[in-house]
Amino acid sequence: MSLASNDLAGYDPAAYDLIVVGSGFFGLTVAERVAEGLGKRVLVLERRNHIGGNAYSEAEPETGIEIHRYGAHLFHTSNERVWEYVNRFTSFTNYQHRVFARVGEQVYAFPMNLALINQFFGKAHSPDQARELIAEQSAEVATGTAANLEEKAISLVGRPLYEAFVKGYTAKQWQTDPQNLDASIITRLPVRYTYDNRYFNDTHEGLPVDGYTAWLERMADHENIDVVLETDFFAVREQLPDDVPVVYTGPLDRYFDHAEGELGWRTLDFEMSVEPTGDFQGTSVINYNDADVPFTRILEFRHMHPERDYPKDKTVIVREYSRSAEAGDEPYYPVNTPDNRAKLERYRELARKETANRNVLFGGRLGTYKYLDMHMAIGSALTMYENRIVPHLTEGKPLSGTDAED
């Protein structure tokens, strides 16, 4: 791997077999597989000054505590193919993610489980008694008749739990009263009738022992891969040859100059501070559910790696805020509205034509307008590599077609 920045000076794009736009997990998986699996040369273009996309992590200078610059990233998967692949580049800790939710002056184990129900209602319920309680409270609204997010949530967990744990948090996430949000945003609200408070249920879970950046750098560390940082694809687009296929992982609407209108995204703002204590909150994540608290949660990254020798008198916390993305913001979550879904269908048609006519494939969270966890992005990239890129680069078959969803 060679790293450069600013432009393509010294690089001949025509000398490569594939060009990848973006160095997140999707782009680097494709690049690594083509370089290692096929022995082909890959040029990766990255607009930021580092590889890794939103999974990038770095040491906070004052404390040395590893932070995730773009929000907490927790790796988990039940996909054995993905698990085998990622273990080629990193080993994982035994970290299991657990979230707590603060409501008023109380902190509850989350997601909703038997411990939360018993603590919230002040009574020791058996699993059957808890099921009966929630069924009684949720009967206020029939799920099939829910006209908005609030009614849908009440139909799933009842009004008391909705008002405490969903209403305020959702209003902050979307900057909108839940009564004005579509019911489809919440398809389910899991309630566990046990004391299990693991956030994920996947077979495999953990954090990379040496951090995300080390993992991502190992993926790109191949003699057939060149990564050019601080290089905007759109600034060098005219320098790229027509006969070299492209895997594009940037925003789908930006590729087509917003021809069908801008797709909506939610973004996140982060407020980081170093606190003069060895432990600020006792866990890695606490959600703040009350509407009058402006942030949605506080992250304390030291708790993600308890095995590390971090300072005993300082810690790093990050307050996270949610809002609608504007021009120049980092997009995080696609907004599932009828208008955006209609635009997306039109962009998908444009993308199909671009694949057929110009050998451009679209992937990743931004390129497909889907929220993808890391393991989903990697799995999708492996599928694209196997089903479309390998036949194209080895047999000359067209790139157009459809990948099976991973």
Side-chain angles (χ1 to χ4, degrees):
M1 172 186 70
S2 67
L3 286 170
S5 63
N6 297 325
D7 57 39
L8 295 180
Y11 292 86
D12 177 11
Y16 296 88
D17 301 288
L18 180 71
I19 295 171
V20 174
V21 180
S23 65
F25 272 115
F26 190 99
L28 287 185
T29 299
V30 169
E32 188 280 331
R33 285 291 73 217
V34 169
E36 175 65 19
L38 300 179
K40 303 288 187 180
R41 295 193 66 196
V42 184
L43 179 65
V44 179
L45 306 180
E46 172 56 58
R47 67 177 177 82
R48 289 171 170 162
N49 64 357
H50 60 75
I51 67 170
N54 285 358
Y56 177 75
S57 64
E58 60 187 346
E60 190 282 321
E62 184 177 343
T63 63
I65 294 172
E66 182 189 2
I67 63 168
H68 304 168
R69 187 188 290 184
Y70 305 97
H73 282 67
L74 300 312
F75 191 80
H76 56 97
T77 186
S78 294
N79 186 320
E80 294 299 332
R81 178 178 65 152
V82 169
W83 184 242
E84 185 278 328
Y85 177 73
V86 300
N87 274 271
R88 300 178 192 180
F89 309 102
T90 183
S91 54
F92 290 85
T93 69
N94 61 0
Y95 176 85
Q96 292 183 341
H97 193 50
R98 287 175 167 82
V99 173
F100 294 83
R102 179 165 175 162
V103 176
E105 297 301 314
Q106 279 285 352
V107 175
Y108 300 84
F110 203 77
M112 297 180 198
N113 57 26
L114 195 56
L116 180 149
I117 291 170
N118 287 347
Q119 183 182 357
F120 184 77
F121 291 105
K123 181 181 178 181
H125 296 85
S126 69
D128 287 341
Q129 290 171 333
R131 285 190 180 90
E132 291 175 5
L133 174 67
I134 301 307
E136 177 183 333
Q137 293 180 347
S138 62
E140 176 185 340
V141 178
T143 299
T145 65
N148 54 54
L149 185 149
E150 178 170 291
E151 292 184 0
K152 181 73 170 182
I154 292 172
S155 76
L156 296 170
V157 301
R159 186 175 292 277
L161 292 179
Y162 161 74
E163 291 188 345
F165 296 97
V166 181
K167 184 176 183 177
Y169 194 88
T170 301
K172 289 189 290 188
Q173 279 280 68
W174 292 92
Q175 296 177 301
T176 304
D177 189 310
Q179 292 182 351
N180 299 324
L181 293 171
D182 194 89
S184 64
I185 293 175
I186 288 186
T187 56
R188 66 187 186 93
L189 276 174
V191 178
R192 297 174 183 166
Y193 296 99
T194 68
Y195 290 98
D196 178 14
N197 71 330
R198 276 187 64 187
Y199 197 74
F200 304 115
N201 292 317
D202 285 297
T203 306
H204 307 289
E205 180 181 0
L207 292 172
V209 168
D210 301 319
Y212 280 101
T213 295
W215 170 8
L216 293 153
E217 287 176 342
R218 290 180 193 130
M219 293 181 71
D221 187 15
H222 196 284
E223 62 183 0
N224 290 335
I225 297 176
D226 290 323
V227 180
V228 187
L229 302 176
E230 298 181 84
T231 301
D232 189 335
F233 166 72
F234 299 102
V236 300
R237 193 176 191 174
E238 298 304 316
Q239 302 176 41
L240 305 181
D242 293 334
D243 59 344
V244 177
V246 171
V247 173
Y248 173 83
T249 69
L252 181 60
D253 53 353
R254 173 68 181 90
Y255 183 92
F256 295 104
D257 295 322
H258 305 109
E260 300 295 340
E262 293 190 15
L263 291 168
W265 291 87
R266 302 292 297 172
T267 192
L268 299 174
D269 294 321
F270 305 102
E271 180 182 279
M272 187 177 71
S273 63
V274 175
E275 301 295 326
T277 177
D279 193 346
F280 181 83
Q281 63 183 16
T283 190
S284 54
V285 180
I286 293 183
N287 291 346
Y288 281 72
N289 294 63
D290 294 330
D292 59 353
V293 178
F295 48 86
T296 55
R297 60 182 183 170
I298 294 181
L299 313 173
E300 187 173 7
F301 286 104
R302 72 177 306 122
H303 294 290
M304 293 184 180
H305 286 280
E307 77 282 2
R308 294 182 181 175
D309 186 22
Y310 285 147
K312 302 296 190 294
D313 59 346
K314 294 179 181 179
T315 192
V316 180
I317 66 166
V318 175
R319 291 178 173 87
E320 189 173 296
Y321 301 78
S322 175
R323 61 179 173 82
S324 296
E326 300 174 356
D329 288 330
E330 294 293 341
Y332 283 84
Y333 305 103
V335 180
N336 184 18
T337 64
D339 181 54
N340 281 324
R341 289 195 297 270
K343 290 177 188 175
L344 178 59
E345 285 306 311
R346 297 195 293 271
Y347 278 120
R348 284 176 173 169
E349 182 57 32
L350 292 176
R352 283 189 284 268
K353 293 177 181 177
E354 196 74 357
T355 300
N357 298 331
R358 299 179 63 88
N359 282 341
V360 178
L361 289 171
F362 298 83
R365 177 176 49 91
L366 303 180
T368 60
Y369 197 65
K370 292 181 182 178
Y371 182 75
L372 301 176
D373 282 333
M374 289 177 286
H375 68 285
M376 298 168 67
I378 293 167
S380 179
L382 291 173
T383 298
M384 177 183 284
Y385 165 75
E386 294 165 356
N387 292 356
R388 303 174 77 174
I389 296 174
V390 170
H392 178 75
L393 292 181
T394 61
E395 304 173 43
K397 292 186 177 181
L399 286 172
S400 56
T402 303
D403 291 332
E405 291 296 325
D406 197 274

